Amino acid sequence: MDQETLEAENDVTEDQESYEEEDETDAKPDRKGRFFLFGGKKKDGKFQNKEQSAESHYRIVSPPAFQYKMSHRRVGKCIIINNKNFDERTGMNVRNGTDRDAGELHKCFKSLGFDVKVYNDQTCNNMERVLRNASEEDHSDSSCFACVLLSHGEEGMIYGTDGAMPIKNVTTLFRGDMCKSLVGKPKLFFIQACRGSEFDEGIQTDSGPSNDTTETDANPSQRIPVEADFLFAYSTVPGYYSWRNPGRGSWFVQALCDVFNEFGKQLEIMQILTRVNYMVATSFESWSEDPRFSEKKQIPCMVSMLTKELYFK
């Protein structure tokens, strides 16, 4: 990507500059010859909202067995890996705006009760080391675990400052057979990174109108899949760019923090992420002096292996 197309005008105020800076992608630049080859994919979908009648005198509540136990002494650890600067040989640009993301995420997860730790500019080996150490800790008194990866990426890959590595190198460290103290507990991964080099052109729409104290997190007599209880919240769908504004941060993280801050202690995690999807899909559109990068859209992607409902009440 030509660096000149990524610079905002210098003759505007600081506040204006944060809103007028061009949007960037978290992927390797200069993918020439591909910009005009990708069209948007149309997929119809509708949100259905069932509202209770004012005359209703009851509400449906899921039995405790269908909700994760969140009454441990600690909510859990949240690790944020914030990669901004990359070795020149990787061909990756500086991820301006990512420090804003990291700061907002730190406040967001702190307010949910997490013990948050931020690691900046980590190599692949360091990323794996940090998360391996976390997976080897005793999480017996924690209700869950969260990890946020902010970096460049490609499908199935995340970039350290020195190159790319498979995302599964770090996520598998928390599988049931690898991290026993998190068995039966939710393991949440939020990944802000590109997953390819396609653009979403968008499409115009038509306008229109348990109280059991002996409860455990996983029944020891029951076998569960080692891949169970994971949630992956990606900033974009496979194959596509993920957008970031140098002044305001990435679209996905902006929406994620906004929704968590307002509804994080009320709604179930999938409801929260569905609202994040809606916000990113409807409230953001790229702007650039280079028409190849203008008027593009984005939709986040959730991959859930959760076996219960998750509330941060």
Side-chain angles (χ1 to χ4, degrees):
M1 185 188 303
D2 189 346
Q3 184 64 30
E4 292 183 359
T5 68
L6 301 178
E7 299 294 338
E9 294 182 358
N10 296 321
D11 58 347
V12 295
T13 65
E14 182 176 352
D15 287 341
Q16 292 173 323
E17 187 173 355
S18 68
Y19 281 87
E20 295 181 5
E21 286 178 309
E22 300 180 15
D23 294 297
E24 302 175 354
T25 62
D26 284 330
K28 187 176 292 186
D30 298 324
R31 298 172 184 261
K32 297 178 181 178
R34 304 191 65 182
F35 301 116
F36 299 100
L37 299 178
F38 308 107
K41 297 180 180 179
K42 182 176 181 180
K43 184 174 182 180
D44 296 329
K46 296 181 180 179
F47 290 103
Q48 296 182 347
N49 182 24
K50 297 183 179 180
E51 298 184 353
Q52 290 186 348
S53 167
E55 299 178 357
S56 175
H57 297 288
Y58 67 93
R59 61 194 180 107
I60 299 175
V61 179
S62 298
F66 291 108
Q67 292 184 15
Y68 284 108
K69 177 184 175 184
M70 297 298 289
S71 57
H72 293 81
R73 189 170 66 85
R74 299 187 304 161
V75 173
K77 174 169 285 190
C78 174
I79 291 177
I80 300 174
I81 294 182
N82 176 39
N83 289 341
K84 178 179 180 179
N85 305 289
F86 298 82
D87 291 350
E88 184 177 352
R89 66 177 182 272
T90 66
M92 292 297 176
N93 290 330
V94 175
R95 299 184 61 254
N96 294 314
T98 192
D99 290 336
R100 173 79 176 265
D101 283 346
E104 292 299 317
L105 286 163
H106 186 281
K107 290 188 293 184
C108 177
F109 280 92
K110 194 80 172 177
S111 70
L112 292 174
F114 282 91
D115 176 19
V116 186
K117 180 69 175 178
V118 179
Y119 296 86
N120 295 312
D121 289 341
Q122 300 293 301
T123 63
C124 291
N125 284 339
N126 284 346
M127 289 169 64
E128 190 168 353
R129 176 182 55 79
V130 165
L131 289 168
R132 183 178 297 280
N133 288 343
S135 72
E136 293 174 350
E137 293 179 8
D138 184 3
H139 300 269
S140 298
D141 62 350
S142 296
S143 296
C144 66
F145 172 80
C147 175
V148 185
L149 302 177
L150 308 172
S151 190
H152 286 298
E154 298 176 1
E155 177 55 26
M157 307 290 284
I158 192 76
Y159 271 79
T161 57
D162 58 345
M165 64 183 288
I167 294 176
K168 67 179 183 180
N169 281 16
V170 294
T171 60
T172 55
L173 297 172
F174 297 88
R175 291 186 354 168
D177 56 346
M178 300 283 286
C179 183
K180 299 295 180 62
S181 60
L182 282 174
V183 170
K185 301 177 182 180
K187 296 161 277 283
L188 315 176
F189 287 84
F190 302 88
I191 303 168
Q192 165 57 44
C194 282
R195 303 180 71 187
S197 57
E198 296 188 45
F199 286 126
D200 190 329
E201 304 290 346
I203 185 69
Q204 188 66 42
T205 60
D206 294 331
S207 56
S210 162
N211 298 320
D212 184 357
T213 58
T214 63
E215 179 184 356
T216 59
D217 299 300
N219 189 334
S221 64
Q222 181 184 39
R223 293 174 61 84
I224 63 173
V226 296
E227 302 283 1
D229 303 301
F230 277 89
L231 173 68
F232 300 97
Y234 294 93
S235 59
T236 190
V237 292
Y240 283 82
Y241 277 118
S242 184
W243 293 93
R244 170 178 37 80
N245 183 277
R248 288 170 291 171
S250 64
W251 300 358
F252 174 63
V253 172
Q254 289 180 62
L256 185 69
C257 291
D258 284 348
V259 178
F260 259 129
N261 289 336
E262 186 170 359
F263 302 106
K265 295 184 180 180
Q266 303 172 34
L267 300 179
E268 200 274 331
I269 187 67
M270 299 305 289
Q271 292 176 306
I272 289 172
L273 293 177
T274 298
R275 296 196 183 198
V276 171
N277 280 3
Y278 179 80
M279 182 177 290
V280 173
T282 60
S283 301
F284 295 89
E285 186 172 291
S286 67
W287 174 86
S288 175
E289 291 181 351
D290 188 334
R292 298 175 300 176
F293 292 90
S294 263
E295 300 181 343
K296 309 304 180 188
K297 303 292 289 184
Q298 180 178 321
I299 182 68
C301 177
M302 299 171 282
V303 179
S304 174
M305 283 77 81
L306 297 181
T307 58
K308 299 180 182 179
E309 297 171 0
L310 173 58
Y311 290 91
F312 291 104
K313 296 179 181 178

